Amino acid sequence: MPEAGVALGFDYGKRRVGIAVGSTVTGSAQPLTTLTHRDGIPDWSALDALIEEWRPSALVVGLPLNVDGQTQKMTNRARNFAEEVWGRYRVAVHTVDERYTSIEAGERLRAARASGSRGKRLAKGDIDAMAAQTILESWLTGRIGSA
């Protein structure tokens, strides 16, 4: 049974999917993890475990759009991922514009390193998980603002 107030956000990419967890009550989110695809396929067993652990009531998938808002090849891949996630877990899935989230995530990580609150070395998936946080926060902010 889903936990009211828990949402997971996804930054879907060609090689990895960044994942964040957030609260629909507080509107806050934090990076959770990054899963690496296996032969171009999401690591469904790891994702199954996360869904079981967090039991979210909402899933939010970022849609990569061009700067002008037009769709691109990755937009369709992210939409397909969103459809697969819905079909697999039967949890409400929302999509949001993810333009500039990777840039914002990189800036947040650099600022955290500069302040000393984060180690100097970044793993490949750090930006993906932070981008998922940004995607989820965008949805949470819009949701709270429209409630």
Side-chain angles (χ1 to χ4, degrees):
M1 174 170 242
E3 288 289 326
V6 175
L8 292 180
F10 300 92
D11 178 35
Y12 185 81
K14 289 180 187 177
R15 294 180 195 91
R16 294 177 297 276
V17 58
I19 304 170
V21 62
S23 168
T24 60
V25 176
T26 65
S28 63
Q30 63 186 16
L32 186 59
T33 190
T34 299
L35 302 177
T36 302
H37 301 322
R38 295 179 184 167
D39 299 320
I41 298 170
D43 184 348
W44 290 114
S45 62
L47 196 50
D48 292 346
L50 288 172
I51 296 292
E52 177 65 26
E53 176 183 355
W54 291 97
R55 298 189 314 257
S57 60
L59 305 173
V60 181
V61 178
L63 290 181
L65 300 170
N66 288 329
V67 175
D68 63 3
Q70 296 295 309
T71 61
Q72 55 173 300
K73 190 174 186 178
M74 279 307 298
T75 309
N76 293 329
R77 288 182 182 176
R79 280 190 178 125
N80 289 341
F81 175 73
E83 290 172 11
E84 286 183 64
V85 165
W86 184 86
R88 194 172 181 99
Y89 304 114
R90 297 293 191 219
V91 172
V93 177
H94 308 273
T95 57
V96 297
D97 181 352
E98 72 163 41
R99 282 179 284 181
Y100 310 112
T101 57
S102 291
I103 293 169
E104 183 176 338
E107 290 172 355
R108 286 183 183 190
L109 288 169
R110 281 188 290 282
R113 281 192 342 228
S115 72
S117 64
R118 175 155 181 92
K120 295 293 181 194
R121 189 169 196 118
L122 293 177
K124 286 184 177 182
D126 289 345
I127 289 179
D128 299 320
M130 185 69 75
Q133 175 187 1
T134 306
I135 289 164
L136 186 52
E137 287 172 345
S138 170
W139 179 77
L140 290 167
T141 301
R143 185 179 178 280
I144 291 169
S146 64

